[in-house]
Each structure stands twice: as C-alpha cells, then as structure tokens.
Amino acid sequence: MPIDPAIAIGAELPAQEFSWTASDVQLYHLGIGAGAHPLDPRELMYLDDSKPQVLPTFATVVANIHATEAPRVSFPGVEIDLAKVVHGSQEVTVHQPIPSSGSARTTTRIAEVWDKGKAAVIVQESSTVAHDGTPLWTARSSIFARGEGGFGGERGPSDAIALPDREPDFEVLSPTLPQQALLYRMCGDRNPLHSDPEFATAAGFPAPILHGLCTYGIICKAATDTALGGDANRVKGFRARFAGVVFPGESLRTRIWREDDRLLISATVPEREDSPALADVVLTIS
C-alpha cells in the first residue's frame, strides 16, 4: 500500500541544514518575474546585489534551491509515483523579515493524511530557525496524490474563503514568459512535469505546466507591489490553494480586496476565461 496513515501521521522527516546568499534571493525573484520593469526602483529592490528585500515566499524554495535532481515522494508510510502528484496548498508565516543571506535549520513532520476518495492529501508542517535559535518562519503545505485515496481516512476540513461581494480594490495583470518554468526550475524544483513534454503528457497534461509555487510567488509579489507599495517587509503571511494549472506564457489576473489586516485575493488565467489558478488566497499584513 503506497500510503499507510498509521506510519505517516506524526512522522518526523530528516532535518534540513542550509544557507543562502543574496544571489539566491535574486535568482528566486527573477524566477517569479521581478525585473520585468528594470527602471522601476521598486523592482530593483528585489534584485539588489548586496541586500535585496526578500519576499516571504522565498521560504518555499530556499532549503532546496541548489538541488539538481527531481524530487521523490518518499516519506515514512508514503511512497508515491511523482507523476501522480501535484501541489495542493501552501502557507508561509514569517516571524521577522527574511534576511538576504543566512543559514538555518528546518524540521518537518507529516501532520495529516486525508482521504479524498479518488485521491489522497498529505499535509506537512515545518519550522525554520536561524542557527542561533531565532525563529524565522513556519510553513504548512499539502500535496494531492491522484489515485491514492480510498483507504478509509478522514476527508479533512474545508478552508474556503468567501470573497467580498463588491469590486476589488486593486486589479493587476502579470504576464509570464514562455520559458518561465525553465527559469523557475533553477530555484531547485526539477520536477520534469515543468520541463519535459513527454513526462507532462504521461501525467495527463497537454504540455509542461508552470510550477504552482511559481504562481504562488508571482501572486504574492503582485499583491505586495500593488497594495503594499512594494514593501515586502509588511507581509506577515501568505497562503493559497492550488486550484488550476497555468501554462508558461499565459498571464495571471490578480484581484485584491482589503479587509482589516489582510488582503483577500483572486488569481485567474484571463486567456482561458479567467479559469482559477489559486483559490482561498490570503495575504496577512504585519
């Protein structure tokens, strides 16, 4: 059996020790579209050679940013073919602005395994601290494994967010490049679903798709630039559910509503009748 919840739930994964530089931050920001307006001082804040400001979504790639091999879905009680897996959701909460360079340690455990009938959802929770013990960020993510459900587990809760019944306070369009996935994969996600046409076809897609975490970063940046004046240090947390695919070269339409200390966000693909890209998107402001 590929998933054994009795073994998986609560299992601790090997801790990760890693470090990063300003160049790694720059690479990530370029991967999510920073620099598209190279004369804009706000854009260049993401690409400064010594101390670039850091979007909190950088936390999703930093531990593996130097990886060069495709990932494996192999955890205690979980063994799944990579072609069956897509990202389900992602949440990052930062406890202070992420420094432009540093070293840290991440500990992760499998928090939940949910049975969706025809699929399974595996949820991981992680905590990252600097080497002096200072908390940096916490994260919660899920993967959606097609064909791995039906083992009799709980379906899991619904975290649906209702968007306000009014016009958004902001709307912005973010084009992606035809080579966006090939650039973003240099941030350490070498899943061939995003680069190999044959692998993508075998996984049920007509062409390689954009990384969900690339879309996640693009939308966080769009909201930060549009609603927060480009000040990434104001972003306390960002969460979203991956609701649809984005193909490199398509655009992303971001609609933003202000609500107290958070922004509620809709992210769609206008080229396909505003089909959803991300759902239940919330950016929390410190």
Side-chain angles (χ1 to χ4, degrees), residues 254-273:
T254 306
R255 297 183 177 96
I256 307 164
W257 290 263
R258 289 188 181 275
E259 186 183 81
D260 300 325
D261 62 347
R262 62 183 190 167
L263 304 176
L264 305 182
I265 299 169
S266 163
T268 60
V269 180
E271 289 90 340
R272 285 184 279 117
E273 300 181 337

Side-chain angles (χ1 to χ4, degrees), residues 1-217:
M1 182 177 181
I3 298 177
D4 186 340
I7 296 175
I9 297 174
E12 300 281 341
L13 305 187
Q16 292 178 283
E17 304 268 354
F18 55 91
S19 60
W20 68 97
T21 67
S23 292
D24 295 326
V25 173
Q26 290 173 300
L27 175 61
Y28 172 73
H29 288 151
L30 288 169
I32 60 170
H37 304 286
L39 301 183
D40 185 340
R42 293 191 309 179
E43 285 289 299
L44 297 179
M45 289 173 62
Y46 293 109
L47 302 169
D48 185 82
D49 282 332
S50 57
K51 289 189 176 181
Q53 73 164 350
V54 186
L55 276 170
T57 52
F58 177 65
T60 63
V61 304
V62 59
N64 299 305
I65 198 165
H66 300 134
T68 58
E69 307 236 344
R72 295 179 59 210
V73 188
S74 179
F75 314 125
V78 177
E79 200 73 43
I80 303 172
D81 181 355
L82 183 62
K84 295 182 177 181
V85 172
V86 293
H87 210 136
S89 63
Q90 181 70 53
E91 179 175 0
V92 172
T93 300
V94 291
H95 306 299
Q96 60 175 295
I98 298 176
S100 56
S101 62
S103 298
R105 184 175 192 267
T106 293
T107 54
T108 303
R109 71 181 187 95
I110 299 177
E112 306 285 351
V113 177
W114 295 330
D115 186 347
K116 299 295 186 180
K118 294 183 178 180
V121 174
I122 298 104
V123 180
Q124 297 182 20
E125 293 180 346
S126 65
S127 176
T128 299
V129 300
H131 280 172
D132 64 1
T134 303
L136 293 176
W137 62 81
T138 54
R140 183 177 171 90
S141 65
S142 71
I143 57 174
F144 187 89
R146 292 170 293 176
E148 300 296 339
F151 51 83
E154 296 183 9
R155 285 192 60 84
S158 172
D159 296 321
I161 299 294
L163 296 173
D165 186 18
R166 59 179 174 83
E167 289 297 307
D169 297 298
F170 306 96
E171 182 172 323
V172 60
L173 195 65
S174 303
T176 69
L177 299 170
Q179 67 270 35
Q180 197 81 52
L182 298 176
L183 174 59
Y184 183 83
R185 72 193 295 267
M186 302 304 292
C187 296
D189 188 340
R190 302 305 181 100
N191 187 337
L193 177 62
H194 310 293
S195 60
D196 184 336
E198 291 185 4
F199 186 95
T201 299
F205 298 97
I209 64 175
L210 193 62
H211 304 70
L213 285 179
C214 183
T215 300
Y216 180 81

